[in-house]
Structure formats: C-alpha cells, structure tokens
Amino acid sequence: MISNRLPNDFDPHEPELPHPEFQLLVSSLLDESISDQDFERLQTKLQQSASARDAYRNLVELHLALHETLSEPVVSIASDRQAWPQVVTQRRVFVPLLLASCALSIAVACFFFLPMKESPIAWTGSEVDSALELRAGDRVVASANHSNKITFRNGVKVSLSQGADLEILGDKKVRLHKGQVYVDVGEQGKGFTVLTDAANIVDLGTVFGVGANSPDETEVLVFDGVVDVATNSQKKLPRKVLVSGQAERYDKSGTGERIPTVWSSSLSSEWSTAPDGRNSSVASITDNVLGSSNAKFYMVVSGGFCEDALVYVDRKYEWNGLDKTGIPKELIGADYIRTFNDDKHCKDIDITLTLSREADVYILVDQRYLIPDWLSENFVDTGWKLGIDLGLSHRAGEVKAPPVESDVERFLGRGPGNSVDVPVNVWKLKHSSGQQVHLGPNGEKSHQFDNAIQGAGSMYGIVILPKDRTSD
C-alpha cells in the first residue's frame, strides 16, 4: 500500500535527493513520455544500484501522494444562500447544452478507452491458425487440451501453467485469479501489470513470473529486467523493486519473504517454487547470505545442461565447450543449478545443497581462481574443461572472444568453441556423506587476474548427475 504522507522539506531524516538526471528519467516514466533509450538507461540504473531502487520507490510514492492530494475537491459550496437562485437560473439555461456535452464526452471516452468488439486485445495460440480472440472481460483457464499461451496485440506473451485462471482487463493489464504465469513483455508492452489479491506487479521492461496459489499469497520472480511490486496490505508498506535473479513471496500482511529455490525445465517458461513432479535430483539449495535486500534465487534446471545453457540467474552468460568437441558428453542432459554471479566475491558464503536422491555433484570453477580448501578436501579434479561465454546478446558470426583483460563489449556465440571467454575446470565430489553437500566461496585470485578489469571473475556452477539417470 502506498503511503499518503507528503515529504517534509525540513525533516533532517529525509533521504538525500537523487541526482536530477535520475529524477527526470523517473518523471518521464510516470507521465508516460519516456523514450526507449531513456527507458533502457533507467532500467540499467535500477538493476545496478540499490540506492537507485530506493530513490525510485521514494519518487513513485511522492508522485502518488501528490496525485491523491491534488485530486481532492478544492471547490466548496457557497455559503451565501442568496447566490443560489442565480446559479440555478444559469444551470437551467445550460442544462440541455450540458447534457449534450456530457453525452458527447462519454461517447468519446468510450471510443478511446473501452475496447471495441471489432478489435481484440489478445489471442490464444497462433493469430493465423484458428486462434481464439480475447477482449477485455474475457477469462482464460489453462488446460491440457487447449493452448496455454496468450499473445497480446502489443507483443506481450503470457504462458499459463495448467489450471491457471487469468482475466483480461486491457491491453496492458490482467488479473491472475489462480495459478502461475510467465510473462515476456517485449519492447511494446512496457508497463504491463499483473494484479492478484495480494499484490500489483508492474513491469519495467521485463521477463517475470507470478504465482497466485492462494488469495492471501503471491509469488513474484524476475527472470530478466526489473519489476515494481506494490502489496495490497492494509498496512502502508513501501513499494518493492525486484531485479533479475530475485524472487519474493508476499502474504496478506504485505511483507516479503525470499524464495531461495526455483525449479524449471529446459523451457524457462515452465517454473515452480516446489520440486514436485519435476523428477529433480535437488530437494533445495539455500545459503547464509542475509539482509533485507537479499531476494536472490537459485534456479534448478532439470535435465537442462547442454551447449548454450544459461549459466546464472542474474546474467545472460552461457555454458559452452572450449572447442568443437563440446561439453563433456558425461554431463550433457544432467540437472544443473543457475547460481548468482554477484556472489563471486562473497568470501563468507556457505551454500547448502540438499539432494533428493543419490547423485554425483560437479563444481565448475573459473580456472583463474586458486583452489579453496573446501573444494580440494571434498572434490577431485576430473581433468574435464569447458567454458563460459560472456555477453548480453547473440551476434551472428561471433566466433572469437576478445582477450579476457580487455574492457570491450562482448557478444554471445552459438555452439561449442565459439566466443568462449572464461575456461573452467570440472571438479567432482569424492563421496556422498548424506543428502546435504556444503559449498564455500571462490578461492583467492591468481596471477591470471593481474591484468583483468575491475570486478572480473565468475561464480562457479553446479551440475548434478543422478546415479540412476540411465534407468529413468
């Protein structure tokens, strides 16, 4: 819920005003005049800076508070009763004109703001292959016998889990009554909003997921980009900004709780916060990183380890073989965990991996780090190698990676041996001592980092190969 408190300019405890350029970006977003270029700049600032996200929340709350305050009636009824007859007389003269004007205004408003029956908002399935047209007020309940994907006229794509109940409210607004959705907003759908009983989720240029498994609870996951979350609690709680690789569960009180583990298949649109039915070798994965701003999740991808598989939840980097021989064949099709690359410099991290069945565990380590004690004591170097392809997007013909120490724009290549930037070594757990495996931080940086740019390095990856995989 948004606070109606207006800021006190003389309060010494008020937060410091954000940079004027940032204020202009947020203002243009709120009045819907922001350009695509400025939108990308704002999104980048929100992703990279926690202080920017705090400033964004403050500016949005101020905007809403001013809007509500200035929307209050400011004209009172005249106290001089002698003036009333004149007002009534004038009103009688202009009643027909006023009624005609109102009728015209209503007609214009209906024309511009209400969806026309001839103009569908969205379609289920393919638009050209006997697709079902959807308009405001339509509800879609996903089943195994019908298409579970909705394509909006503005390019937004919504995938529904089986049993999900979604109501179309407009070309940029839906209400999720039940179940889970995966939303890919695209370039034309910025500002797309998903409403639930517990929260309102507003896109800021995003791929995200929303789960409404009960009226009192909503789950929000960000796969790429930024979302703004406002809970529907009776308490006046601040808005929350979630970025790539973060997920929270909101209850009826409006407070958020971190979701540490998310399960998925090789299709990213299929996700769950519970392992049931996914035949996963991982029961859970958690860590000891605390703090109110920590909302990151680990993604368990069942059977998804392969060429060009995503490495992290907070980056678009990909796994690839170092050369044309590719990823070691023993690891293809294994379960793996997309970790959080920003943890690469966290020196006290303790990750607890809980297995659901007997399995071999592999750690894929950036070879520029020295080997930490926890790894050498419990794992053995297999001699296998593969690599990480760094970049934000694919580029056709991308084959050769720039030198690791060069600070240049990097693009993703496709397939083994193409544009691989960071070689990694594969270590295997010596023996399983139970269901839980404890993993520590990266080792110290070796001399290979001497010429590297600031912040260089990669968090390790985790691959799990069930011992009974061949019999599955």
Side-chain angles (χ1 to χ4, degrees):
M1 184 68 69
I2 308 303
S3 171
N4 290 328
R5 181 182 64 85
L6 291 174
N8 183 352
D9 292 337
F10 303 100
D11 186 350
H13 301 291
E14 283 293 319
E16 184 178 346
L17 287 175
H19 192 278
E21 179 192 12
F22 183 80
Q23 294 186 61
L24 289 174
L25 289 174
V26 176
S27 296
S28 59
L29 172 69
L30 293 173
D31 63 21
E32 299 183 354
S33 64
I34 193 167
S35 66
D36 289 344
Q37 183 178 3
D38 285 346
F39 188 92
E40 295 299 331
R41 292 170 59 200
L42 175 60
Q43 180 179 345
T44 300
K45 290 178 182 293
L46 291 173
Q47 286 181 305
Q48 296 178 345
S49 171
S51 61
R53 295 194 288 274
D54 291 338
Y56 169 80
R57 284 193 293 269
N58 292 335
L59 289 170
V60 171
E61 290 184 16
L62 174 60
H63 172 83
L64 294 175
L66 287 171
H67 177 76
E68 292 182 11
T69 301
L70 296 177
S71 297
E72 292 296 322
V74 294
V75 180
S76 59
I77 298 177
S79 57
D80 185 1
R81 298 180 64 89
Q82 294 180 353
W84 289 12
Q86 182 180 1
V87 173
V88 172
T89 302
Q90 292 175 346
R91 186 176 172 188
R92 285 172 181 167
V93 172
F94 291 104
V95 161
L97 181 60
L98 179 61
L99 291 177
S101 175
C102 289
L104 179 61
S105 299
I106 293 172
V108 171
C110 289
F111 179 82
F112 282 106
F113 297 108
L114 294 182
M116 301 289 288
K117 280 297 180 181
E118 292 76 13
S119 301
I121 292 174
W123 301 264
T124 58
S126 170
E127 297 178 30
V128 297
D129 185 16
S130 63
L132 175 63
E133 296 181 345
L134 298 174
R135 300 174 176 83
D138 288 344
R139 284 174 75 161
V140 177
V141 179
S143 68
N145 300 323
H146 296 87
S147 173
N148 293 339
K149 294 184 179 180
I150 297 175
T151 301
F152 283 73
R153 185 169 48 190
N154 54 20
V156 174
K157 293 179 172 60
V158 180
S159 299
L160 287 70
S161 64
Q162 187 170 344
D165 182 352
L166 189 73
E167 181 180 0
I168 310 296
L169 300 180
D171 60 351
K172 285 193 175 182
K173 185 179 292 185
V174 296
R175 178 174 294 278
L176 181 61
H177 294 275
K178 180 183 178 182
Q180 297 177 174
V181 293
Y182 174 92
V183 183
D184 187 346
V185 173
E187 289 299 317
Q188 303 301 317
K190 295 169 183 176
F192 192 84
T193 301
V194 178
L195 308 179
T196 71
D197 289 338
N200 299 342
I201 301 93
V202 182
D203 150 74
L204 297 177
T206 316
V207 179
F208 64 101
V210 179
N213 298 320
S214 73
D216 299 329
E217 188 175 89
T218 292
E219 298 173 337
V220 183
L221 299 78
V222 182
F223 300 106
D224 182 29
V226 186
V227 300
D228 180 298
V229 182
T231 60
N232 297 332
S233 167
Q234 293 182 352
K235 300 179 182 179
K236 297 184 182 299
L237 298 175
R239 305 171 77 90
K240 186 68 179 283
V241 177
L242 297 179
V243 300
S244 300
Q246 293 187 331
E248 284 197 334
R249 180 180 294 109
Y250 301 92
D251 60 22
K252 61 182 179 181
S253 69
T255 56
E257 173 190 22
R258 175 191 177 190
I259 301 175
T261 313
V262 176
W263 286 262
S264 177
S265 67
S266 55
L267 296 175
S268 57
S269 60
E270 298 177 355
W271 62 271
S272 173
T273 56
D276 298 343
R278 294 198 175 272
N279 197 30
S280 174
S281 58
V282 178
S284 68
I285 179 167
T286 59
D287 59 39
N288 63 336
V289 180
L290 304 175
S292 58
S293 62
N294 177 39
K296 68 180 182 182
F297 64 87
Y298 296 93
M299 177 171 282
V300 181
V301 185
S302 301
F305 196 71
C306 62
E307 299 288 346
D308 301 316
L310 292 172
V311 180
Y312 304 112
V313 292
D314 60 336
R315 301 288 193 280
K316 295 182 178 180
Y317 306 161
E318 296 178 347
W319 292 115
N320 280 116
L322 282 177
D323 53 36
K324 295 303 180 182
T325 60
I327 291 175
K329 63 180 184 303
E330 292 86 350
L331 301 180
I332 297 295
D335 300 344
Y336 83 103
I337 295 171
R338 291 172 59 188
T339 54
F340 212 75
N341 193 43
D342 281 352
D343 287 338
K344 59 191 175 186
H345 301 313
C346 187
K347 294 301 182 183
D348 59 353
I349 192 169
D350 181 11
I351 299 174
T352 301
L353 169 64
T354 303
L355 302 174
S356 61
R357 51 180 165 164
E358 190 175 5
D360 290 325
V361 178
Y362 298 87
I363 305 299
L364 284 51
V365 185
D366 183 338
Q367 70 175 21
R368 296 171 294 174
Y369 287 103
L370 299 177
I371 302 304
D373 291 341
W374 66 267
L375 188 63
S376 61
E377 291 172 1
N378 301 300
F379 291 75
V380 60
D381 190 348
T382 64
W384 299 340
K385 296 181 182 295
L386 57 141
I388 299 175
D389 189 1
L390 308 180
L392 297 178
S393 61
H394 286 93
R395 184 168 69 176
E398 188 72 12
V399 176
K400 187 176 181 180
V404 173
E405 64 273 10
S406 63
D407 186 11
V408 298
E409 184 177 9
R410 296 176 184 271
F411 292 91
L412 300 170
R414 292 194 183 277
N418 292 330
S419 186
V420 180
D421 300 90
V422 179
V424 301
N425 297 327
V426 181
W427 290 66
K428 179 181 179 181
L429 185 66
K430 293 178 181 177
H431 54 81
S432 178
S433 57
Q435 286 187 312
Q436 287 194 342
V437 179
H438 289 276
L439 311 173
N442 274 335
E444 297 298 323
K445 290 185 175 182
S446 71
H447 66 86
Q448 296 183 60
F449 279 100
D450 291 345
N451 298 321
I453 62 174
Q454 184 178 6
S458 298
M459 184 59 178
Y460 55 78
I462 307 169
V463 176
I464 305 99
L465 187 62
K467 291 185 179 294
D468 60 352
R469 185 178 70 160
T470 55
S471 61
D472 284 348

